[in-house]
Coordinates of all heavy atoms in Angstrom, one line a residue:
F431 N 0.8 -1.2 0.0 CA 0.0 0.0 0.0 C 0.9 1.3 0.0 O 0.6 2.2 -0.8 CB -0.9 0.0 1.2 CG -1.8 1.2 1.3 CD1 -3.0 1.3 0.6 CD2 -1.4 2.3 2.2 CE1 -3.8 2.5 0.7 CE2 -2.2 3.4 2.3 CZ -3.4 3.5 1.6
D432 N 1.9 1.3 0.9 CA 2.6 2.6 1.0 C 3.4 2.9 -0.3 O 3.5 4.1 -0.7 CB 3.7 2.4 2.1 CG 3.0 2.5 3.5 OD1 1.9 3.1 3.6 OD2 3.6 1.9 4.5
K433 N 3.9 1.9 -1.0 CA 4.6 2.1 -2.3 C 3.6 2.6 -3.4 O 4.0 3.4 -4.2 CB 5.3 0.8 -2.7 CG 6.5 0.5 -1.8 CD 7.3 -0.7 -2.4 CE 8.5 -0.9 -1.5 NZ 9.4 -2.0 -2.0
V434 N 2.4 2.1 -3.4 CA 1.4 2.6 -4.4 C 1.1 4.0 -4.1 O 0.9 4.8 -5.0 CB 0.2 1.6 -4.4 CG1 -0.8 2.2 -5.4 CG2 0.6 0.2 -4.7
M435 N 0.9 4.3 -2.8 CA 0.5 5.7 -2.5 C 1.7 6.6 -2.8 O 1.5 7.8 -3.3 CB 0.2 5.8 -1.0 CG -1.1 5.1 -0.6 SD -2.6 5.8 -1.5 CE -2.7 7.4 -0.6
A436 N 2.9 6.2 -2.6 CA 4.1 7.0 -3.0 C 4.1 7.2 -4.5 O 4.5 8.3 -5.0 CB 5.4 6.3 -2.6
A437 N 3.7 6.2 -5.3 CA 3.7 6.3 -6.7 C 2.6 7.4 -7.1 O 2.9 8.2 -8.0 CB 3.3 5.0 -7.4
A438 N 1.5 7.4 -6.5 CA 0.5 8.4 -6.7 C 1.0 9.8 -6.5 O 0.7 10.7 -7.2 CB -0.8 8.1 -5.9
T439 N 1.7 9.9 -5.4 CA 2.3 11.2 -5.1 C 3.3 11.7 -6.1 O 3.3 12.9 -6.6 CB 3.0 11.2 -3.7 OG1 2.1 10.8 -2.7 CG2 3.7 12.5 -3.3
V440 N 4.1 10.8 -6.6 CA 5.1 11.1 -7.7 C 4.4 11.5 -8.9 O 4.8 12.5 -9.6 CB 6.0 9.9 -8.0 CG1 6.8 10.1 -9.3 CG2 7.0 9.6 -6.8
L441 N 3.3 10.8 -9.3 CA 2.6 11.2 -10.5 C 1.9 12.5 -10.4 O 1.9 13.3 -11.3 CB 1.5 10.1 -10.8 CG 2.1 8.7 -11.2 CD1 1.0 7.7 -11.3 CD2 2.8 8.8 -12.5
R442 N 1.3 12.8 -9.2 CA 0.6 14.1 -9.0 C 1.6 15.2 -9.1 O 1.3 16.2 -9.7 CB -0.1 14.0 -7.7 CG -1.5 13.5 -7.8 CD -2.4 13.9 -6.5 NE -1.7 13.4 -5.3 CZ -2.1 12.3 -4.7 NH1 -3.1 11.6 -5.1 NH2 -1.5 11.9 -3.5
K443 N 2.7 15.0 -8.4 CA 3.7 16.1 -8.4 C 4.2 16.4 -9.8 O 4.5 17.6 -10.1 CB 4.9 15.6 -7.5 CG 6.0 16.7 -7.3 CD 7.1 16.2 -6.4 CE 8.1 17.3 -6.2 NZ 9.2 16.8 -5.3
A444 N 4.3 15.4 -10.7 CA 4.8 15.7 -12.0 C 3.7 16.1 -13.0 O 4.0 16.4 -14.1 CB 5.5 14.4 -12.6
G445 N 2.4 16.1 -12.5 CA 1.3 16.4 -13.4 C 0.9 15.4 -14.4 O 0.4 15.7 -15.4
V446 N 1.2 14.1 -14.0 CA 0.8 13.0 -14.9 C -0.6 12.6 -14.6 O -0.9 12.2 -13.4 CB 1.8 11.8 -14.7 CG1 1.4 10.6 -15.6 CG2 3.2 12.2 -15.0
P447 N -1.5 12.6 -15.5 CA -2.9 12.1 -15.3 C -2.9 10.6 -15.0 O -2.2 9.9 -15.7 CB -3.6 12.5 -16.6 CG -2.6 12.6 -17.6 CD -1.3 13.0 -16.9
F448 N -3.7 10.2 -14.0 CA -3.8 8.8 -13.8 C -5.2 8.4 -13.4 O -5.9 9.2 -12.7 CB -2.8 8.3 -12.8 CG -2.9 8.8 -11.4 CD1 -3.7 8.0 -10.5 CD2 -2.3 10.0 -10.9 CE1 -3.8 8.4 -9.2 CE2 -2.5 10.4 -9.6 CZ -3.2 9.6 -8.7
N449 N -5.6 7.3 -13.8 CA -6.9 6.7 -13.4 C -6.6 5.7 -12.3 O -5.4 5.3 -12.1 CB -7.6 6.0 -14.6 CG -7.8 6.9 -15.8 OD1 -8.0 8.1 -15.6 ND2 -7.9 6.3 -16.9
T450 N -7.6 5.2 -11.6 CA -7.4 4.2 -10.6 C -8.2 2.9 -11.1 O -9.3 3.0 -11.6 CB -7.9 4.6 -9.2 OG1 -9.3 5.1 -9.3 CG2 -7.0 5.6 -8.7
L451 N -7.6 1.8 -10.9 CA -8.3 0.5 -11.2 C -8.3 -0.3 -9.9 O -7.3 -0.6 -9.3 CB -7.5 -0.3 -12.3 CG -8.2 -1.5 -12.8 CD1 -7.8 -1.8 -14.2 CD2 -7.8 -2.7 -11.9
T452 N -9.6 -0.6 -9.5 CA -9.8 -1.3 -8.3 C -10.4 -2.7 -8.6 O -11.5 -2.7 -9.2 CB -10.7 -0.5 -7.4 OG1 -10.0 0.7 -7.0 CG2 -11.0 -1.3 -6.1
C453 N -9.8 -3.7 -8.2 CA -10.4 -5.1 -8.3 C -11.4 -5.3 -7.1 O -11.0 -5.1 -6.0 CB -9.3 -6.1 -8.3 SG -8.2 -6.1 -9.7
V454 N -12.6 -5.7 -7.4 CA -13.6 -5.9 -6.4 C -13.6 -7.4 -6.1 O -14.1 -8.2 -7.0 CB -15.0 -5.4 -6.9 CG1 -16.0 -5.5 -5.8 CG2 -14.9 -3.9 -7.3
H455 N -13.2 -7.7 -4.9 CA -13.1 -9.1 -4.5 C -14.1 -9.4 -3.4 O -14.9 -8.5 -3.0 CB -11.7 -9.5 -4.2 CG -11.0 -8.6 -3.3 ND1 -11.3 -8.6 -1.9 CD2 -10.0 -7.7 -3.5 CE1 -10.5 -7.7 -1.3 NE2 -9.7 -7.1 -2.2
R456 N -14.0 -10.6 -2.9 CA -14.9 -11.0 -1.9 C -15.0 -10.1 -0.6 O -16.0 -10.0 0.0 CB -14.6 -12.5 -1.5 CG -15.6 -13.1 -0.5 CD -15.2 -14.5 -0.2 NE -15.9 -15.1 0.9 CZ -15.6 -16.2 1.5 NH1 -14.6 -17.0 1.0 NH2 -16.3 -16.7 2.5
F457 N -13.8 -9.5 -0.3 CA -13.7 -8.8 1.0 C -14.0 -7.3 0.8 O -14.7 -6.7 1.6 CB -12.4 -9.1 1.6 CG -12.3 -10.5 2.0 CD1 -11.7 -11.4 1.2 CD2 -12.9 -10.9 3.2 CE1 -11.6 -12.8 1.6 CE2 -12.8 -12.3 3.6 CZ -12.2 -13.2 2.8
N458 N -13.4 -6.6 -0.2 CA -13.6 -5.2 -0.3 C -15.0 -4.9 -0.8 O -15.5 -3.8 -0.7 CB -12.5 -4.4 -1.1 CG -12.4 -4.9 -2.5 OD1 -13.2 -5.8 -3.0 ND2 -11.5 -4.2 -3.3
A459 N -15.7 -5.9 -1.4 CA -17.1 -5.7 -1.8 C -18.0 -5.4 -0.7 O -19.1 -4.9 -0.8 CB -17.6 -6.9 -2.6
E460 N -17.6 -5.8 0.6 CA -18.4 -5.5 1.7 C -18.3 -4.1 2.2 O -19.1 -3.7 3.0 CB -17.9 -6.4 2.9 CG -18.0 -7.9 2.6 CD -19.5 -8.4 2.5 OE1 -20.3 -7.7 3.1 OE2 -19.7 -9.4 1.8
R461 N -17.4 -3.3 1.6 CA -17.2 -1.9 2.1 C -17.1 -0.9 0.9 O -16.2 -0.3 0.7 CB -15.9 -1.9 2.9 CG -16.0 -2.7 4.2 CD -14.7 -2.8 4.9 NE -14.1 -1.5 5.2 CZ -12.8 -1.4 5.8 NH1 -12.1 -2.4 6.1 NH2 -12.3 -0.2 6.0
P462 N -18.2 -0.9 0.2 CA -18.2 0.0 -1.0 C -17.9 1.5 -0.8 O -17.2 2.1 -1.5 CB -19.6 -0.2 -1.6 CG -20.4 -0.7 -0.4 CD -19.5 -1.5 0.4
L463 N -18.5 2.0 0.3 CA -18.3 3.5 0.5 C -16.9 3.7 1.0 O -16.3 4.8 0.7 CB -19.4 4.0 1.5 CG -20.8 4.0 0.9 CD1 -21.7 4.6 1.9 CD2 -20.9 4.6 -0.4
D464 N -16.4 2.8 1.8 CA -15.0 3.0 2.2 C -14.0 3.0 1.0 O -13.1 3.8 1.0 CB -14.6 1.9 3.2 CG -15.2 2.0 4.6 OD1 -15.7 3.1 4.9 OD2 -15.2 1.0 5.3

């Protein structure tokens, strides 16, 4: 998690547009709003 968040920070700082891709599995499907 921390490395992915660091990557997001690097991209934002450089002005690189990025989308997010989230895999919905058995466990995070229980917490949609989170």
Side-chain angles (χ1 to χ4, degrees):
F431 178 81
D432 288 335
K433 290 188 176 181
V434 179
M435 292 299 287
T439 299
V440 167
L441 293 172
R442 275 198 299 260
K443 184 176 180 180
V446 179
F448 67 93
N449 303 334
T450 53
L451 186 151
T452 298
C453 292
V454 184
H455 50 71
R456 183 177 168 191
F457 295 96
N458 63 359
E460 300 291 336
R461 295 171 55 184
L463 295 186
D464 288 343

